[in-house]
Amino acid sequence: MATGFFDGLEPVRFVGPDAKDPYGYRFYDKDRVVLGKRMEDHLRLAICYWHSFCWPGGDPFGGDTFQRKWMAAGDPMEQARLKADVAFEMFQLLDMPFFTFHDRDIAPEGATLAESNANVNAIADIFEKKMAETGVKLLWGTANLFSNRRFMSGAATNPDPEIFAYSAAQVKNAMDVTKRLGGANYVLWGGREGYETLLNTDLKRELDQLGRFLSMVVEYKHKTGFKGTILIEPKPQEPTKHQYDYDVATVFGFLKAYGLENEVKVNIEQGHAILAGHSFEHELALANALGIFGSVDMNRNDYQSGWDTDQFAMNVPELALAYYEILKGGGFTTGGTNFDSKIRRQSIDAADLIQGHIGSADAIARGLLAAAAMIEDGRLGGFVEDRYAGWSKPENAAILKGDVSLEALADRVHATDLEPQPKSGRQEYLESLVNLFV
Ligand code: XUL
Ligand code: CO
């Protein structure tokens, strides 16, 4: 390969479950048809730019361990072009259909926003060519409104209207680039849209600012004819102590309050769900129930540390439950499975970067296959259906339609005064059933 970064590594292809060498997809078989759809079209896997090509391997106690050549000193635009070459080499090496990026991942900031935008647009020109050559597509773009010190007190929720305006201008360009590259979605993650202390914060005002900002984004989407979905990515904290887009339920309440519930959906990240005290499948099921499920940022948090560790997802039983919820909701439309995952600080080789994606793609594929088998088997779904079957009787359906009053229900109960009989929830049976498929 032209950059030399992946020298010695062969293109990763499907080798089947019995292959001994872990270098190769054992379960991610893109053309395999699952529930009537190709696996690639079910999962819509995407490689993220930031963890794979921008993160140098630092932690709070030490810096760069990766020492990538495009991060060394030199002309920043030269490095951005080299990074783009490496990125597209990796997309092809892994045969991945999509990628994702923040504006600041792909190009350096200039002295002014105009200069920064020009840098982003110049790299987007290169992307446009490479995408046409390779067939790799953009799952989503986004703007980094959290790294630069100007955003330390927030972007849309900043007390300073000049920062709000700056953020709007930056998002406008990121949306333009996303549209130009045919992005299937545009994501907003409110990294610093929250607060550190209520003592310096007008919470109501900040929520109104965020509501207005998001409305402007939606208005601009319609003005420009962008066909992708606008997605909010919930996260409860980190970097701010409390973030306004805490979890799926909070985001839904926020969207309702500002009349945006039919315009914006959610991008749910596994690690963020855990940070919020939920399971991943809870967040997926709730988003489906509320009609705002959009896309997934796939990773896993360390269950001990309480940090957003963004590890590659490798736990098949967990993934099976996640894809069970995704499939039950009808699967992805514009969304997909974005690896918001980074290799560990000690995994310094190019081969580690490839192996992380292979291993996680395989775990995800096994999760999908298990979920599809659970659906085809039908016993889990059938149990739930039976559990609520009483509600299909006309006299009970009428209750939910609003045709029956509290007094009428009281009369109905007192007509016989029979004690309702509890029925088993059969949790252990259902959990054992799941284990037949993973
Ligand atoms: C941060 C995070 C972001 C978003 C995009 O925790 O997940 O990378 O996915 O801004
Ligand atoms: Co994310």
Side-chain angles (χ1 to χ4, degrees):
M1 295 226 159
T3 68
F5 182 65
F6 297 107
D7 273 2
L9 297 173
E10 294 298 314
V12 183
R13 297 292 175 258
F14 178 68
V15 292
D18 300 326
K20 289 280 172 288
D21 185 354
Y23 192 89
Y25 296 121
R26 263 94 62 88
F27 297 91
Y28 179 65
D29 179 6
K30 65 175 183 174
D31 293 318
R32 174 163 173 187
V33 174
V34 181
L35 299 178
K37 206 156 117 181
R38 289 172 66 250
M39 198 180 258
E40 183 177 77
D41 302 331
H42 265 295
L43 296 175
R44 296 165 62 81
L45 294 174
I47 291 178
C48 86
Y49 223 85
W50 53 102
H51 287 316
S52 290
F53 312 115
C54 306
W55 184 59
D59 72 7
F61 299 90
D64 184 349
T65 55
F66 292 163
Q67 305 189 335
R68 307 295 192 221
K69 54 183 171 183
W70 59 92
M71 293 179 196
D75 169 29
M77 276 306 279
E78 198 72 44
Q79 290 171 336
R81 284 188 286 269
L82 175 60
K83 185 159 62 168
D85 288 343
V86 169
F88 274 79
E89 283 179 2
M90 187 163 109
F91 305 157
Q92 284 184 284
L93 204 60
L94 282 159
D95 194 19
M96 287 282 152
F98 289 99
F99 73 114
T100 56
F101 65 84
H102 300 81
D103 48 5
R104 294 293 165 266
D105 302 336
I106 66 169
E109 275 207 68
T112 61
L113 182 62
E115 223 175 277
S116 303
N117 288 350
N119 289 348
V120 169
N121 297 346
I123 299 295
D125 291 342
I126 296 175
F127 282 0
E128 219 174 340
K129 270 202 216 100
K130 287 179 179 289
M131 289 168 75
E133 280 162 22
T134 61
V136 176
K137 297 179 291 289
L138 180 64
L139 186 64
W140 49 262
T142 187
N144 178 330
L145 304 176
F146 43 87
S147 293
N148 190 287
R149 70 193 284 274
R150 79 175 71 82
F151 300 120
M152 69 180 190
S153 311
T157 61
N158 201 292
D160 180 355
E162 295 307 325
I163 310 274
F164 183 99
Y166 188 104
S167 308
Q170 190 180 328
V171 165
K172 178 188 173 295
N173 193 65
M175 288 178 75
D176 289 344
V177 165
T178 301
K179 176 174 184 279
R180 166 151 78 102
L181 298 177
N185 309 271
Y186 183 83
V187 165
L188 296 112
W189 168 60
R192 300 208 185 262
E193 312 295 24
Y195 64 80
E196 296 297 329
T197 171
L198 284 174
L199 296 175
N200 66 15
T201 301
D202 183 339
L203 189 145
K204 166 74 175 123
R205 182 186 279 276
E206 293 199 359
L207 284 172
D208 285 346
Q209 288 178 210
L210 194 56
R212 185 59 205 132
F213 194 92
L214 190 57
S215 300
M216 289 180 350
V217 165
V218 167
E219 287 161 17
Y220 189 64
K221 164 190 153 145
H222 291 303
K223 253 183 241 162
T224 57
F226 175 57
K227 292 281 171 285
T229 309
I230 304 291
L231 300 171
I232 289 214
E233 184 176 322
K235 186 174 183 183
Q237 77 266 336
E238 200 192 314
T240 59
K241 174 191 150 52
H242 179 98
Q243 279 172 216
Y244 297 130
D245 50 11
Y246 197 97
D247 59 4
V248 170
T250 310
V251 167
F252 184 69
F254 172 82
L255 294 176
K256 276 285 224 197
Y258 296 94
L260 294 166
E261 71 274 20
N262 298 319
E263 295 283 356
V264 178
K265 292 184 159 50
V266 281
N267 179 39
I268 303 173
E269 177 162 327
Q270 197 276 358
H272 297 180
I274 303 304
L275 285 179
H278 302 301
S279 66
F280 189 30
E281 61 269 24
H282 165 88
E283 290 290 81
L284 297 167
L286 185 61
N288 270 329
L290 299 171
I292 56 166
F293 174 68
S295 199
V296 158
D297 265 14
M298 186 57 81
N299 54 29
R300 126 185 91 116
N301 270 5
D302 185 291
Y303 289 115
Q304 290 166 329
S305 73
W307 296 327
D308 189 15
T309 56
D310 290 336
Q311 289 161 257
F312 277 93
M314 299 284 182
N315 187 321
V316 177
E318 284 182 1
L319 289 163
L321 294 178
Y323 281 94
Y324 185 57
E325 295 305 328
I326 292 171
L327 289 180
K328 276 199 300 176
F332 295 118
T333 51
T334 62
T337 305
N338 175 45
F339 290 105
D340 194 345
S341 318
K342 58 179 187 243
I343 44 178
R344 299 300 87 191
R345 189 166 185 265
Q346 298 175 50
S347 303
I348 57 177
D349 296 341
D352 294 316
L353 196 50
I354 300 299
Q355 196 64 59
H357 287 88
I358 297 175
S360 196
D362 269 346
I364 290 165
R366 287 184 71 179
L368 177 79
L369 291 169
M374 281 150 66
I375 285 178
E376 273 176 332
D377 175 82
R379 275 178 288 177
L380 287 164
F383 180 84
V384 176
E385 219 168 274
D386 288 349
R387 196 161 183 236
Y388 295 88
W391 286 101
S392 336
K393 291 190 186 146
E395 68 269 30
N396 296 331
I399 300 173
L400 297 187
K401 254 199 267 155
D403 298 344
V404 183
S405 67
L406 200 70
E407 316 87 88
L409 276 182
D411 289 345
R412 169 172 140 180
V413 169
H414 292 306
T416 60
D417 261 336
L418 285 177
E419 179 64 26
Q421 291 307 304
K423 286 193 195 96
S424 172
R426 303 196 72 191
Q427 183 170 337
E428 296 73 18
Y429 158 70
L430 296 167
E431 287 172 347
S432 313
L433 203 50
V434 167
N435 277 344
L436 299 182
F437 301 102
V438 290

